[in-house]
C-alpha cells in the first residue's frame, strides 16, 4: 500500500472516537454491512469525513475536483445554462454538495458575463465545515448583487424550477460490496478480528438478487472471486428530486462508466478506493473519518433511477467532449489574450487536466436529464454515448 502521512493529533482523536462507535455497533450486531460502514465513515455527525472540520479539498486536503482546477468547467456550464429556455435559465440553480464554493462563484460570474442571472443559487450541503468555506468564498469573490442570490437551505426545496448540478456527488454515495463464491453473490460485512477491522462475506438475498439483475443486464456470469459494488441510494435520491423539481435540467459529472464496462470481467476487484493527502489506496479499514472513501459511478444505474423518477435522458459524454461542444477552446483563447505569460502557462496546464484523455477528459463523464422541457442540450452534440447505457 502507498505510504501515507501521519494524521495530526486532532485527526487521530476524531478517528478514534468514530472507530469506537463503529466497534461498539459491530460488537452488538455481529458485524456491519459495508454500506453502513462507509456511511458512518463519511457522514457520522461531527466525526464523519464530510462532517468533521478538517480540510478535504485543495492542495492542503485530500483531493481536488474539476471545479477547483479551472474556471473553464464553470464557464461551460454557464454557456449550457444560458442556452436553456428563459423560464429555466433565469430560475433557480440548485447545487448538491458544493465543495469549497468555487464552482458556485465561477458559475455565477460567468452567467453574469453572459447576461443570464438566476433568481437564486441554492447550495445544499450536509457539511457545516464546507458551508463555512462556501460562505467565505461567496463573500470574498462575488459582488453584492450576486452574493445576495446565494442561499443555504437546510433541506431539499419544494416547487423547484431551474437547473440542478451534481458535480462529483454520486461517487460519495455509500455502496454495497459483494464477492462471487461458488456461483453465489455474497454481501461484504465489516467484523472485528484480533482487535482489527476485517471483512467477511455472507449470504444475503437482496444483494444476491441485485447481482443476478446486473448479470442478466450484461449477459455475462461473473467469475469465481469477482468483487465489485453497487449503489443502493441512487433510486431514492432521484425519487426525492423528482418530487420537488417541476421543470428543469439536471447536469451531473463524475468518474465512472456505463454498466457493461463497470462490470466487465477485467474489472474484478471493484472500484472502492480511498484518498488521503492526495495519495490513493485501497484500504478503507484505516483512518476512519479522516480519509475519503469513494467508488466509481455506474451511469446505467443513474439513468435507470432518473428515468424511473420521471426524468428524460438528454445525453451522456466524456467531460472533454462536453466542454468542447460548449466552445471551451474559443472562450479559453479569448481569455488567454488578457493574461500575462505566467498566467497563460498556468491556465493551459489547468485546461489540459480537464481535457486530456489520460487526465480527466475521458475518465470523467457528464450526464444530463430534463423534466418538462423540449429540445436537446448543446453539451452532448459532439459525442453522445447514450447508446452505451
Amino acid at each position: 500500500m502507498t505510504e501515507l502521512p501521519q494524521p495530526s493529533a486532532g485527526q487521530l482523536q476524531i478517528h478514534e472516537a468514530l472507530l469506537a462507535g463503529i466497534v461498539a455497533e459491530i460488537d452488538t450486531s455481529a458485524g456491519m454491512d459495508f454500506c453502513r460502514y462507509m456511511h458512518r465513515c463519511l457522514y457520522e455527525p461531527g466525526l464523519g469525513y464530510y462532517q468533521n472540520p478538517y480540510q478535504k479539498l485543495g492542495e492542503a486536503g485530500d483531493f481536488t475536483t474539476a471545479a477547483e482546477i479551472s474556471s473553464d468547467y464553470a464557464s461551460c456550464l454557464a454557456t449550457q445554462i444560458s442556452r436553456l429556455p428563459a423560464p429555466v435559465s433565469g430560475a433557480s440553480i440548485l447545487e448538491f454538495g458544493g465543495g469549497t464554493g468555487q464552482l458556485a462563484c465561477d458559475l455565477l460570474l460567468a452567467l453574469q458575463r453572459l447576461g443570464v442571472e438566476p433568481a437564486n443559487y441554492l447550495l445544499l450541503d450536509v457539511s457545516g465545515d464546507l458551508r463555512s468555506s462556501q460562505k467565505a468564498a461567496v463573500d470574498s469573490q462575488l459582488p453584492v448583487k450576486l452574493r445576495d442570490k446565494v442561499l443555504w437551505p437546510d433541506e431539499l426545496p419544494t416547487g423547484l424550477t431551474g437547473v440542478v448540478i451534481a458535480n462529483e456527488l454520486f461517487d460519495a454515495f455509500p455502496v454495497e460490496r459483494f464477492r462471487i463464491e461458488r456461483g453465489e453473490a455474497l454481501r461484504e460485512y465489516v467484523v472485528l478480528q484480533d482487535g482489527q477491522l476485517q471483512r467477511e462475506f455472507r449470504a444475503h438475498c437482496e444483494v444476491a438478487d441485485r447481482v443476478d439483475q446486473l448479470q442478466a443486464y450484461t449477459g455475462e456470469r461473473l467469475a469465481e472471486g469477482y468483487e465489485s459494488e453497487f449503489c443502493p441510494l441512487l433510486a431514492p435520491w432521484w425519487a426525492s428530486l423528482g418530487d420537488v423539481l417541476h421543470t428543469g435540467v439536471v447536469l451531473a459529472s463524475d468518474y465512472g462508466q456505463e454498466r457493461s464496462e463497470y462490470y466487465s470481467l477485467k474489472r474484478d476487484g471493484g472500484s472502492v478506493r480511498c484518498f488521503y493527502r492526495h495519495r490513493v489506496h485501497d484500504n478503507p479499514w484505516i483512518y476512519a473519518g479522516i480519509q475519503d472513501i469513494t467508488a466509481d459511478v455506474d451511469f446505467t444505474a443513474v439513468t435507470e433511477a432518473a428515468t424511473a423518477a420521471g426524468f428524460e435522458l438528454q445525453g451522456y459524454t466524456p467531460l472533454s467532449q462536453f466542454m468542447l461542444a460548449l466552445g471551451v477552446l474559443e472562450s479559453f483563447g479569448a481569455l488567454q489574450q488578457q493574461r500575462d505569460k505566467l498566467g497563460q502557462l498556468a491556465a493551459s496546464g489547468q485546461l489540459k487536466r480537464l481535457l486530456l484523455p489520460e487526465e480527466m477528459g475521458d475518465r470523467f463523464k457528464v450526464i444530463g436529464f430534463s423534466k418538462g422541457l423540449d429540445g436537446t442540450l448543446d453539451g452532448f452534440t459532439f459525442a453522445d454515448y447514450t447508446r452505451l447505457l
Side-chain angles (χ1 to χ4, degrees):
M1 189 181 79
T2 304
E3 186 174 349
L4 301 176
Q6 285 296 310
S8 68
Q11 286 178 308
L12 283 175
Q13 286 182 341
I14 284 177
H15 163 67
E16 290 166 0
L18 177 57
L19 184 61
I22 289 172
V23 168
E25 182 176 342
I26 290 173
D27 281 343
T28 58
S29 59
M32 176 189 297
D33 64 82
F34 183 82
C35 191
R36 168 74 175 161
Y37 173 78
M38 184 172 172
H39 185 274
R40 291 198 66 173
C41 286
L42 296 181
Y43 301 108
E44 182 82 1
L47 299 174
Y49 183 76
Y50 287 108
Q51 296 283 353
N52 69 53
Y54 286 94
Q55 187 169 344
K56 287 86 179 162
L57 285 83
E59 291 185 9
D62 302 305
F63 62 93
T64 191
T65 68
E68 305 293 326
I69 291 171
S70 168
S71 62
D72 293 310
Y73 176 60
S75 296
C76 290
L77 286 177
T79 299
Q80 179 63 86
I81 292 170
S82 71
R83 296 176 183 176
L84 296 174
V88 174
S89 62
S92 297
I93 295 177
L94 168 63
E95 183 184 354
F96 282 88
T100 63
Q102 194 60 55
L103 178 59
C105 292
D106 288 340
L107 181 51
L108 282 167
L109 289 169
L111 286 169
Q112 185 180 61
R113 289 193 295 270
L114 293 171
V116 181
E117 295 181 16
N120 50 55
Y121 196 110
L122 310 174
L123 278 163
L124 189 61
D125 205 309
V126 299
S127 169
D129 179 61
L130 287 175
R131 278 193 181 199
S132 297
S133 297
Q134 293 158 13
K135 290 176 180 178
V138 166
D139 287 343
S140 63
Q141 296 184 39
L142 296 182
V144 174
K145 183 182 178 184
L146 293 180
R147 195 185 311 159
D148 291 344
K149 293 179 180 290
V150 185
L151 304 170
W152 285 265
D154 293 323
E155 57 187 23
L156 198 59
T158 59
L160 188 67
T161 295
V163 177
V164 176
I165 296 172
N167 180 48
E168 297 187 46
L169 175 75
F170 299 141
D171 66 82
F173 282 11
V175 296
E176 291 276 16
R177 293 217 291 189
F178 65 87
R179 176 183 173 89
I180 304 297
E181 291 187 5
R182 296 179 295 278
E184 182 182 4
L186 304 181
R187 186 190 206 187
E188 181 172 321
Y189 288 83
V190 185
V191 297
L192 197 66
Q193 294 180 357
D194 300 325
Q196 300 292 321
L197 295 181
Q198 304 285 343
R199 60 184 191 152
E200 180 177 290
F201 294 92
R202 306 175 191 166
H204 189 275
C205 60
E206 292 180 9
V207 168
D209 289 345
R210 181 65 177 268
V211 176
D212 282 344
Q213 294 169 12
L214 296 175
Q215 292 181 116
Y217 185 95
T218 61
E220 289 185 311
R221 298 300 297 179
L222 300 177
E224 182 72 11
Y226 187 99
E227 295 182 13
S228 193
E229 65 281 325
F230 61 86
C231 180
L233 301 181
L234 288 171
W237 187 88
W238 280 101
S240 297
L241 185 60
D243 287 341
V244 301
L245 184 64
H246 179 264
T247 305
V249 165
V250 183
L251 292 169
S253 58
D254 230 312
Y255 42 82
Q257 306 82 27
E258 57 278 0
R259 181 169 295 159
S260 58
E261 175 66 18
Y262 198 109
Y263 296 105
S264 67
L265 298 182
K266 64 184 179 182
R267 289 170 52 87
D268 59 358
S271 67
V272 171
R273 56 199 180 278
C274 307
F275 286 83
Y276 181 73
R277 307 273 183 88
H278 296 276
R279 277 82 164 177
V280 185
H281 66 91
D282 60 0
N283 188 354
W285 316 123
I286 64 170
Y287 291 175
I290 56 174
Q291 67 175 0
D292 189 25
I293 307 176
T294 183
D296 282 3
V297 175
D298 172 2
F299 281 100
T300 303
V302 171
T303 303
E304 290 172 344
T307 53
F311 293 88
E312 181 181 353
L313 177 63
Q314 284 282 345
Y316 168 63
T317 195
L319 175 64
S320 59
Q321 298 302 309
F322 181 79
M323 295 181 67
L324 290 170
L326 291 167
V328 67
L329 295 182
E330 292 80 3
S331 59
F332 178 79
L335 287 173
Q336 281 292 71
Q337 297 177 15
Q338 304 170 25
R339 298 174 175 130
D340 60 23
K341 210 67 174 175
L342 286 177
Q344 289 176 354
L345 288 172
S348 294
Q350 292 163 356
L351 184 60
K352 286 179 180 178
R353 289 185 66 183
L354 298 185
L355 295 184
L356 290 177
E358 63 271 21
E359 294 282 349
M360 300 176 76
D362 279 358
R363 293 191 302 110
F364 274 67
K365 309 295 193 307
V366 182
I367 195 165
F369 299 91
S370 63
K371 188 175 182 184
L373 285 180
D374 296 324
T376 58
L377 301 182
D378 293 345
F380 303 102
T381 54
F382 268 27
D384 188 359
Y385 295 166
T386 56
R387 68 187 184 281
L388 301 178
L389 296 171

